[in-house]
Amino acid sequence: MNLTTLRHFKDLVPNFGTNISLAAIQTHISDAQKSHLIPEVGKTLFDALCLAMEGYFEIPAYNPNTAYQQGDKARLEQYVYVAGVTRGTPPGNNWTRLAIYDLLADYIIPFVTYQSASRLFKFHGINIDQFGIHTNAGQEFGAISAKDRAMLAGEMEREAFKAMSEIKDFLRLENWTIDGVAYQDPTRTNATARPNFGISTPVSKWP
């Protein structure tokens, strides 16, 4: 399950092309999640985030004309609310916002997007075949320099690092308990699980 979409790439990554397919970036999304996200949040929380992402559009959008009962869920913008005892309009007004969607929308999706974009900038347009390793070059476009690639990748890595710091701050503030479910910080039990956010390619550590 991808914890980002093409729309998020277009929203967050400057000058991201409208003609880039999901297939072209899938390997980078998978790497971001396996090598960088799971070691930091753990497989159990990752699976919960995947379920939340998958089920988001199955939750009805908020409709002011609907008579909601206690416990009913409704999505408004990128968040999900649960109705309280008395009627009202989210946010607030006796509605509770599910923290798993706060974490997903505000921090996880940006992290996965930026980390994927960093790898994309390093490798996109580089082809390996029987003639060696080369980049595309046509009559109307040319490959950017290695220096510019590194600059773009580095900027995305900085954004990813900032997003991960915000993820960890969120989880510490919530004591790693989200919507009543307690999760475990894998970096406190496995010292080798922390990923490398530098320029070098990390070693994949699938739990």
Side-chain angles (χ1 to χ4, degrees):
M1 180 72 196
N2 291 337
L3 296 181
T4 185
T5 66
L6 282 175
R7 179 180 65 81
H8 294 113
F9 274 84
K10 293 169 185 175
D11 289 345
L12 296 173
V13 180
N15 302 315
F16 189 82
T18 58
N19 61 344
I20 298 179
S21 68
L22 180 62
I25 59 176
Q26 182 59 60
T27 182
H28 307 303
I29 296 172
S30 297
D31 178 81
Q33 296 181 171
K34 292 178 183 179
S35 300
H36 296 275
L37 179 61
I38 291 175
E40 289 290 338
V41 304
K43 187 64 165 56
T44 303
L45 178 52
F46 174 78
D47 289 343
L49 290 162
C50 288
L51 286 175
M53 185 82 167
E54 187 175 21
Y56 176 76
F57 287 105
E58 296 177 4
I59 299 170
Y62 174 74
N63 185 339
N65 298 318
T66 299
Y68 290 98
Q69 304 298 318
Q70 183 179 7
D72 288 347
K73 294 180 182 178
R75 55 183 171 86
L76 183 64
E77 298 177 344
Q78 68 267 46
Y79 304 112
V80 173
Y81 297 83
V82 180
V85 178
T86 59
R87 295 188 63 182
T89 303
N93 293 315
N94 209 41
W95 287 76
T96 302
R97 205 161 84 180
L98 291 180
I100 192 75
Y101 286 98
D102 289 3
L103 176 61
L104 182 64
D106 293 339
Y107 309 113
I108 296 292
I109 289 174
F111 170 77
V112 173
T113 304
Y114 287 130
Q115 190 65 42
S116 304
S118 170
R119 196 170 186 270
L120 175 70
F121 285 150
K122 291 176 185 177
F123 298 108
H124 193 63
I126 297 177
N127 301 299
I128 303 174
D129 57 25
Q130 69 270 32
F131 301 109
I133 303 173
H134 56 88
T135 57
N136 294 329
Q139 294 180 346
E140 299 181 358
F141 66 91
I144 65 171
S145 67
K147 180 180 178 181
D148 288 339
R149 270 187 187 271
M151 179 189 69
L152 292 170
E155 179 62 28
M156 292 296 97
E157 284 184 346
R158 284 187 287 274
E159 292 294 334
F161 187 88
K162 182 169 67 174
M164 179 53 71
S165 296
E166 292 171 340
I167 290 169
K168 300 309 284 283
D169 287 343
F170 179 97
L171 292 171
R172 279 192 291 267
L173 185 64
E174 299 294 328
N175 198 28
W176 283 81
T177 301
I178 301 174
D179 300 321
V181 179
Y183 298 93
Q184 187 176 28
D185 180 355
T187 65
R188 299 188 64 180
T189 58
N190 182 4
T192 64
R194 301 188 66 83
N196 176 10
F197 284 97
I199 297 298
S200 60
T201 302
V203 176
S204 177
K205 304 182 182 70
W206 184 269

